[in-house]
Amino acid sequence: MRICERAAEARIWSECYRQAGLSVGLVPTLGALHQGHAALLQHARRECERVVASIYLNPTQFNSPADLETYPRTRQHDLDVCREQGVDLVFLGETEDLLPDGFQSHVEVEELTRPLCGKFRPGHFRGVTTVVAQLLHVARPHRAYFGLKDYQQAAVVQRMVKDLNFDTEIRLVPTVREPDGLALSSRNKRLSPREREAARGIYRALTLARDEVRRGEEVASEVAARLTNSLERERELRVEYVEVLDAHTLLPFPEGRIERRTHGVLIAVAVYAGGTRLIDNVVVLPDGG
Ligand code: AMP
């Protein structure tokens, strides 16, 4: 496994394989790798002849300095995970290359970044898309892998790639969960035992909401209200948002009536467990979807 820090070196590496006719897959990460990241790497490994993992704790996607400060940093462990998963190149992004002095260019996706996390984390998606665009330029992958755990991020990146004609296919990977349902996240490490216990209620509440929609509940606000109630029953959790939206546009359904037969339904939440912000979601596919 090769490890490189400079963008130019990673670009040349990738270009050599592209020219040799081999497919390149990219898995972008912030580090603090867990089995969710490993699942992305496994998908890439299966589908691509060369796999690049990028590890870059992108400061521009953090809108809280405390969140960035306390984000887990586990470099040695991350390299071990990459090695175990058969990664060919680890690109350790350097701020010097990714945010050079005088940096002033950004990529911004408009409508899709307004709801959900976009409402509460101003500038977050602009930070994500700008750095993902750079990573796509550096690694020049045929495919790049994103987790459905960050559903809005995946939708935003797909939109960017389509709108700006990037020559990369975005591949989406299902959320990896703990046995009790909690979605794996680097931030889970920060949970106290009581917060961790309460956090299992998130997926439980989401699956109840999903079942309601599957059974034919049509009123989005009622699904959202019951979901909010069941989350708030956990004393350690504080709800930031609960949304039931069209899974494609991320917009509310007309007149709040869920059109489950023809449209995918995204049920997404953000909650705080103590000071730790957790997000999760489930999607109900349309009939035949
Ligand atoms: P991060 O390092 O948190 O930016 O995550 C890097 C990639 O891993 C993103 O595409 C995430 O959506 C994905 N990811 C994070 N957690 C999970 C999970 N539990 N299951 C699947 N993918 C995940």
Side-chain angles (χ1 to χ4, degrees):
M1 183 174 83
R2 186 153 159 191
I3 300 170
C4 84
E5 296 183 353
R6 301 310 302 252
E9 191 188 337
R11 191 179 294 117
I12 292 167
W13 182 94
S14 174
E15 197 51 46
C16 285
Y17 288 113
R18 285 183 74 95
Q19 300 230 338
L22 299 184
S23 59
V24 177
L26 170 68
V27 177
T29 80
L30 300 174
L33 302 189
H34 50 63
Q35 288 306 307
H37 299 107
L40 268 60
L41 294 169
Q42 285 154 16
H43 272 73
R45 188 67 281 169
R46 276 200 295 276
E47 295 178 356
C48 306
E49 284 150 315
R50 292 291 178 271
V51 174
V52 184
S54 67
I55 300 179
Y56 178 56
L57 194 51
N58 168 20
T60 64
Q61 73 182 74
F62 284 81
N63 50 333
S64 142
D67 189 25
L68 175 58
E69 191 108 318
T70 56
Y71 202 84
R73 289 157 169 86
T74 59
R75 177 59 52 84
Q76 197 48 53
H77 161 82
D78 295 350
L79 294 176
D80 291 343
V81 172
C82 289
R83 211 169 277 115
E84 273 160 33
Q85 298 303 330
V87 168
D88 298 296
L89 177 76
V90 179
F91 173 55
L92 302 172
E94 292 263 312
T95 290
E96 231 177 310
D97 285 336
L98 297 174
L99 292 169
D101 273 353
F103 185 87
Q104 52 187 294
S105 310
H106 297 274
V107 180
E108 193 152 3
V109 173
E110 295 179 342
E111 266 95 46
L112 285 177
T113 63
R114 293 207 175 106
L116 301 164
C117 293
K119 242 191 237 169
F120 297 91
R121 304 189 69 190
H124 165 69
F125 286 115
R126 187 171 93 149
V128 170
T129 41
T130 301
V131 163
V132 170
Q134 287 176 308
L135 294 172
L136 295 179
H137 289 315
V138 170
R140 312 227 26 240
H142 295 87
R143 302 185 191 93
Y145 294 80
F146 290 84
L148 284 167
K149 147 96 172 27
D150 299 278
Y151 186 94
Q152 186 177 20
Q153 168 175 281
V156 165
V157 168
Q158 274 188 317
R159 188 76 244 173
M160 173 188 81
V161 161
K162 187 169 199 293
D163 289 353
L164 301 182
N165 277 298
F166 279 85
D167 189 17
T168 296
E169 181 191 353
I170 301 302
R171 307 281 290 156
L172 304 181
V173 177
T175 302
V176 178
R177 300 180 178 282
E178 298 283 3
D180 67 3
L182 177 65
L184 297 192
S185 162
S186 306
R187 291 185 177 88
N188 292 353
K189 288 196 176 72
R190 294 191 201 145
L191 299 174
S192 70
R194 279 172 58 185
E195 290 161 359
R196 172 65 188 80
E197 180 61 26
R200 63 195 297 185
I202 300 170
Y203 186 59
R204 211 166 34 210
L206 277 169
T207 51
L208 291 176
R210 181 181 62 193
D211 293 345
E212 281 180 29
V213 172
R214 278 188 182 151
R215 281 198 304 269
E217 171 61 80
E218 285 191 341
V219 183
S221 60
E222 290 192 4
V223 177
R226 282 191 289 268
L227 175 50
T228 306
N229 275 341
S230 54
L231 289 167
E232 284 177 344
R233 236 172 277 139
E234 300 285 352
R235 287 199 16 224
E236 305 290 328
L237 302 184
R238 184 169 59 78
V239 173
E240 181 178 75
Y241 68 70
V242 166
E243 297 279 3
V244 179
L245 301 174
D246 180 317
H248 181 62
T249 60
L250 307 190
L251 292 172
F253 287 98
E255 287 158 43
R257 300 212 79 86
I258 299 169
E259 293 163 10
R260 192 191 72 77
R261 290 190 193 294
T262 48
H263 292 66
V265 183
L266 170 69
I267 308 172
V269 302
V271 302
Y272 277 89
T276 303
R277 185 174 179 278
L278 302 172
I279 58 172
D280 200 354
N281 67 81
V282 292
V283 174
V284 182
L285 294 175
D287 288 350

